Amino acid sequence: MENQLKQLEFTITNIYLKNISYLKQNHPKVFEKVDLLSKKIENNEYKENYTLEYKEEGYFDILNLQTNEFVYGINSYIEADIRKKRFDFTQNNSLNLLRINPNNNQFALLQGLGEITPLVKYLNKKIDFSNINFSRIFKIAYLGTGLGIHIYELQKMLDCHSTLIIEDNLEIFRLSLFITDYSIFNLKNRTLILSINETKEEKIQTLDDFEYDSSWMNYNIQHQLFSKEDKKNLDLLIKHFSLHEASMFSYKEFIDIVSKTTNFIKKEYPFLKSDLMIRKKPLKDKKVLIISAGPSIDKNIEWIQKNQHKFVIICVDLILRKLERYNIKPDIITSIDPKEVIKDFFKLKNKDFIRDSSIIFLSQQNEEVIKEVENLNFYFVQPMIISDEPGFNIGVSNVGTFSFSISLFLGANEIYLAGSDAAFNQDTGSRYSDDDTKILIDRIENDKNLQDNGIVSDSDVIEVKGNLKDTVKTNIELLRFKESYETFIREFNELNLDFSFTTYNLSDGVYIEGFTPKDFTTINVKSFPNKSFSKNLIDEISSPLTSLDFGNDLVTINSIIQRVKKFSNAKMKSKDEFIQNKIDLMIWILKQLNNLSKPIFKVIFLKFTDLIDVYINYSLHIKQKDLHSKEFIDNLKKFWSNTLISLLKNIKEDVLKV
């Protein structure tokens, strides 16, 4: 028996050392955490809360030294075997990321699908959505490790391409290193993404990494919950993917943005430039008030009116007409929505009201909006890097976050947010300030065609932590505003600009990480100096850009089109042949795209493949009789090819202008 225990100790020590070597080489941040903990334990600097116990029945368990209870309480190997036997290849215990129309239990015909819509309609006719069984699982998330035995066994069975493991307890993860050989994920170029003892902000970044890894397989994410204590991480996983879908920002919109930006550059409109902003910092040491259109603004509009002379005021386009009614003159107006109806936000009773204001657009604005303000002071910021000359871009999804980001790039270090609620009016359920502007919002959002096609508005009401209240009611759609702010703060801090700022959230809505809650009544506004600001400060940090040169891009794009046409006409005998040939073609295309003058064309292609391939890969990896016939494969090939050719022709016509 003693020899057996020595052999067992020798075995688990070797597994541990092998894992340590694997972590050091592949996951250095996790290695450093484990190594530091081990050294503290060895030096009696850390009192362990858990210990590894070998049971007489022949298995390992984890003893909680605080409660004297075992984490498993049953044979850990049998527990892993039960999980393995119970695992099925249906959509159970998974996140299904392709939106389903609840009216007919088929793929919803989302607006962002663009020219992919015919493919989705075809799949709706061919797939039996009442009987979904996957032939393979490509992405899985383990929430809690225990000793990791089930992770090892399931990976051997599933051979997932991309695996996420979240374990909040560093001690427990360290103990799993004695039992489970994590180097299994080094085989066949499989990806293991680890979130071990991370903060919430770090977890969000890790979830981003998991999302982007094998993103063309983001149609279904399987998950395994180790214990009920890990449910909060399941909730975080669900929230993340509810806010990040391939269809949220379509490739068609990308082309439109590049085309519009190119046109604005050719017309010699001024763009903000980072080197000038960094040097001049026009908002440094000023009190900056950002006014958004959330419902809580109504309660404080008169306070703002009375004290407007103390703040540099930045407002979103949606609230502009309300500010005119209260004679609150904004210094900067922000606008990012590319719809034509946005022009109505600028149709004021008195055009001179904003004669001295600066309007900052994302360079995706509708031409009709620009015509509406052509005699005013307007400037552009790129939502993505198209020209290198400005030195920066701001890619955010809502105008409130855009206003906040603009204030930081302009050097603001003391910011006050009003109307950034990300929540309903808690009494009326309204999403916006009580104003005639709401009529315009209805015109933008109330599309009967969307309703008929089963587009879900994410309208389920949920309660979350409030900014000035304990809890407030909101929904997933509105929470995207909160997530947008938090993502931008994280990304801005990663720029390492040696820049600190304080943001006070005056909004009576959702609590936003990184912002300090503050009530209007607690602001010592009397101590503030009167503001000093003029549009000349924006003129000094902007200028027209040099026209873009697309060089030999046309030749390269034409060569890709010809290669895709050959692929479309090629005979393929099986699903596997189609997959392999498509992968080979995509690799070749990416090499060609690297030769183009602007990296944005490669981004557009990747967005295209993210969107179309989640549908194609979904259909290729479900098991249904006669689904993968030669006719079906041939149709998928033609849909993919024709849509890609259309994409490339759009680039030629809309961007290269040929």
Side-chain angles (χ1 to χ4, degrees):
M1 182 66 177
E2 185 176 344
N3 288 337
Q4 184 180 355
L5 290 175
K6 285 184 178 180
Q7 181 61 41
L8 196 59
E9 183 178 353
F10 176 78
T11 299
I12 66 173
T13 300
N14 280 343
I15 293 173
Y16 178 80
L17 293 175
K18 185 177 182 181
N19 278 323
I20 288 297
S21 176
Y22 166 72
L23 291 177
K24 187 174 184 178
Q25 183 175 354
N26 297 279
H27 303 275
K29 289 183 180 179
V30 177
F31 164 77
E32 289 172 6
K33 290 180 181 181
V34 173
D35 187 54
L36 180 61
L37 176 61
S38 297
K39 288 176 179 175
K40 286 184 175 181
I41 291 172
E42 291 170 7
N43 296 329
N44 294 318
E45 297 173 4
Y46 180 87
K47 185 178 180 181
E48 294 175 89
N49 296 298
Y50 298 89
T51 184
L52 188 64
E53 296 284 326
Y54 182 71
K55 308 289 285 184
E56 291 182 0
E57 295 85 346
Y59 70 91
F60 285 95
D61 205 333
I62 301 171
L63 178 63
N64 185 327
L65 298 175
Q66 308 302 312
T67 64
N68 203 36
E69 295 178 349
F70 286 100
V71 169
Y72 282 88
I74 60 171
N75 189 311
S76 53
Y77 297 102
I78 293 176
E79 193 268 354
D81 193 50
I82 291 172
R83 284 179 183 264
K84 187 175 177 180
K85 288 178 180 177
R86 286 181 177 174
F87 190 95
D88 62 47
F89 287 75
T90 69
Q91 295 180 118
N92 297 329
N93 297 315
S94 69
L95 308 183
N96 302 305
L97 303 182
L98 296 181
R99 194 82 63 81
I100 297 296
N101 183 340
N103 298 326
N104 56 19
N105 194 33
Q106 295 179 342
F107 289 136
L109 301 178
L110 299 165
Q111 205 171 31
L113 293 175
E115 293 175 14
I116 293 174
T117 301
L119 165 65
V120 177
K121 287 182 176 179
Y122 174 75
L123 294 177
N124 279 342
K125 294 177 182 177
K126 292 295 184 179
I127 295 174
D128 177 6
F129 289 90
S130 65
N131 178 32
I132 300 297
N133 277 276
F134 294 108
S135 58
R136 284 203 60 185
I137 302 298
F138 285 88
K139 302 190 76 167
I140 190 168
Y142 295 96
L143 310 166
T145 60
L147 290 174
I149 302 168
H150 66 294
I151 297 174
Y152 182 85
E153 293 299 325
L154 285 172
Q155 177 61 13
K156 283 198 303 181
M157 179 177 76
L158 301 175
D159 190 26
C160 289
H161 279 229
S162 182
T163 301
L164 169 68
I165 296 176
I166 301 180
E167 174 56 68
D168 292 335
N169 193 302
L170 182 59
E171 273 194 70
I172 287 179
F173 178 73
R174 178 179 173 273
L175 293 179
S176 77
L177 299 177
F178 289 92
I179 306 300
T180 296
D181 181 4
Y182 288 98
S183 68
I184 188 176
F185 292 99
N186 252 358
L187 304 176
K188 302 181 186 177
N189 293 318
R190 299 310 186 225
T191 301
L192 175 63
I193 296 170
L194 292 176
S195 171
I196 308 300
N197 190 33
E198 289 190 324
T199 64
K200 183 179 178 181
E201 290 72 24
E202 290 171 332
K203 283 181 191 174
I204 291 171
Q205 181 59 58
T206 302
L207 287 170
D208 283 341
D209 295 340
F210 181 54
E211 175 195 349
Y212 298 140
D213 187 68
S214 301
S215 55
W216 53 90
M217 292 297 179
N218 281 346
Y219 56 81
N220 181 270
I221 309 291
Q222 291 281 333
H223 51 76
Q224 286 279 311
L225 193 68
F226 180 71
S227 70
K228 62 182 181 181
E229 284 76 19
D230 299 299
K231 187 178 181 302
K232 62 181 181 299
N233 287 325
L234 175 59
D235 293 339
L236 192 64
L237 181 77
I238 293 170
K239 177 186 173 184
H240 178 87
F241 279 100
S242 71
L243 299 172
H244 298 78
E245 299 174 13
S247 60
M248 278 189 173
F249 198 31
S250 74
Y251 69 95
K252 293 281 287 183
E253 292 181 43
F254 266 69
I255 295 174
D256 188 51
I257 290 169
V258 178
S259 175
K260 287 177 177 176
T261 301
T262 303
N263 285 335
F264 295 148
I265 291 173
K266 287 180 178 178
K267 291 182 178 181
E268 298 186 340
Y269 292 143
F271 280 71
L272 300 189
K273 291 188 170 181
S274 64
D275 57 339
L276 297 175
M277 290 190 297
I278 291 171
R279 189 161 70 246
K280 293 183 177 293
K281 293 184 174 62
L283 293 183
K284 184 180 179 182
D285 298 329
K286 300 182 187 297
K287 313 298 183 183
V288 177
L289 176 63
I290 299 176
I291 305 176
S292 296
S296 71
I297 201 68
D298 292 332
K299 294 185 292 185
N300 301 291
I301 193 72
E302 292 178 358
W303 187 99
I304 295 173
Q305 180 188 46
K306 178 182 176 182
N307 296 291
Q308 61 179 298
H309 60 293
K310 297 287 188 176
F311 297 91
V312 175
I313 293 179
I314 302 176
C315 80
V316 304
D317 49 10
L318 178 57
I319 202 69
L320 184 57
R321 299 202 309 189
K322 188 183 191 77
L323 297 189
E324 183 188 25
R325 281 170 45 202
Y326 283 86
N327 197 30
I328 300 170
K329 290 196 174 186
D331 299 288
I332 297 173
I333 303 158
T334 57
S335 183
I336 70 170
D337 197 308
K339 298 182 183 70
E340 180 180 342
V341 71
I342 301 303
K343 69 183 181 188
D344 292 345
F345 295 165
F346 294 93
K347 289 181 177 178
L348 305 176
K349 293 179 180 179
N350 175 16
K351 204 72 170 183
D352 287 337
F353 177 70
I354 55 173
R355 182 67 56 191
D356 296 324
S357 302
S358 299
I359 305 169
I360 301 179
F361 293 117
L362 274 184
S363 58
Q364 60 190 30
Q365 218 69 28
N366 189 283
E367 282 283 0
E368 294 301 314
V369 178
I370 305 305
K371 289 178 184 178
E372 187 64 35
V373 301
E374 60 185 352
N375 295 317
L376 299 172
N377 314 300
F378 61 90
Y379 314 81
F380 288 102
V381 171
Q382 298 181 117
M384 58 191 74
I385 294 296
I386 298 165
S387 168
D388 294 328
E389 206 173 329
F392 81 115
N393 69 296
I394 301 178
V396 295
S397 58
N398 74 76
V399 68
T401 308
F402 181 66
S403 303
F404 173 66
S405 59
I406 283 293
S407 69
L408 291 183
F409 278 110
L410 295 181
N413 50 349
E414 186 174 337
I415 305 166
Y416 297 80
L417 296 182
S420 296
D421 296 355
F424 308 115
N425 181 309
Q426 301 298 289
D427 298 321
T428 68
S430 174
R431 294 175 50 180
Y432 300 100
S433 166
D434 184 15
D435 190 78
D436 59 355
T437 307
K438 182 67 175 72
I439 299 171
L440 296 173
I441 288 298
D442 288 338
R443 283 172 53 194
I444 294 171
E445 297 180 346
N446 191 13
D447 188 330
K448 187 175 186 301
N449 181 55
L450 298 185
Q451 298 172 7
D452 291 343
N453 286 305
I455 309 307
V456 184
S457 65
D458 301 324
S459 59
D460 292 340
V461 177
I462 53 178
E463 282 196 1
V464 298
K465 181 180 178 181
N467 186 53
L468 301 179
K469 297 184 176 76
D470 290 338
T471 61
V472 293
K473 293 179 180 179
T474 185
N475 65 7
I476 289 176
E477 185 180 3
L478 288 171
L479 280 178
R480 292 192 178 110
F481 292 93
K482 164 185 164 71
E483 195 256 356
S484 179
Y485 278 114
E486 293 174 348
T487 298
F488 177 78
I489 292 172
R490 187 170 67 251
E491 292 174 350
F492 185 83
N493 287 333
E494 290 172 358
L495 294 176
N496 296 318
L497 297 178
D498 191 26
F499 177 72
S500 61
F501 60 92
T502 302
T503 304
Y504 299 103
N505 190 0
L506 311 173
S507 314
D508 193 7
V510 169
Y511 173 75
I512 300 174
E513 296 281 351
F515 296 163
T516 302
K518 194 175 187 67
D519 193 285
F520 274 91
T521 59
T522 65
I523 301 174
N524 185 18
V525 74
K526 291 182 179 179
S527 67
F528 293 180
N530 289 346
K531 74 176 173 186
S532 172
F533 189 84
S534 74
K535 77 174 191 63
N536 294 335
L537 293 172
I538 305 300
D539 289 331
E540 291 174 2
I541 60 169
S542 62
S543 68
L545 307 181
T546 305
S547 291
L548 297 173
D549 179 10
F550 293 108
N552 295 319
D553 290 354
L554 179 60
V555 174
T556 302
I557 289 175
N558 281 336
S559 70
I560 297 173
I561 290 174
Q562 294 307 312
R563 183 74 176 262
V564 175
K565 284 181 177 178
K566 289 182 181 179
F567 172 79
S568 178
N569 294 324
K571 301 293 183 184
M572 295 179 193
K573 300 176 182 178
S574 66
K575 174 183 77 172
D576 291 339
E577 187 178 0
F578 167 62
I579 292 172
Q580 188 56 56
N581 278 275
K582 187 164 78 68
I583 290 173
D584 292 342
L585 176 58
M586 288 175 64
I587 292 171
W588 180 84
I589 291 173
L590 287 171
K591 288 180 180 178
Q592 308 313 304
L593 294 176
N594 286 334
N595 298 324
L596 293 177
S597 62
K598 304 299 172 190
I600 189 62
F601 294 125
K602 186 174 182 179
V603 174
I604 291 172
F605 174 73
L606 292 173
K607 280 289 178 182
F608 163 80
T609 54
D610 271 356
L611 181 58
I612 193 169
D613 280 4
V614 288
Y615 287 95
I616 287 181
N617 288 329
Y618 177 93
S619 63
L620 288 175
H621 294 100
I622 54 177
K623 295 190 293 186
Q624 290 187 6
K625 186 179 179 182
D626 300 327
L627 181 60
H628 301 136
S629 64
K630 288 183 181 179
E631 178 189 4
F632 181 78
I633 298 301
D634 191 57
N635 281 327
L636 289 189
K637 173 169 59 68
K638 290 187 180 301
F639 276 119
W640 190 87
S641 302
N642 292 341
T643 312
L644 177 53
I645 290 171
S646 175
L647 164 74
L648 295 169
K649 287 182 176 179
N650 284 338
I651 291 174
K652 286 172 56 178
E653 295 166 5
D654 297 339
V655 181
L656 304 183
K657 306 298 181 184
V658 293

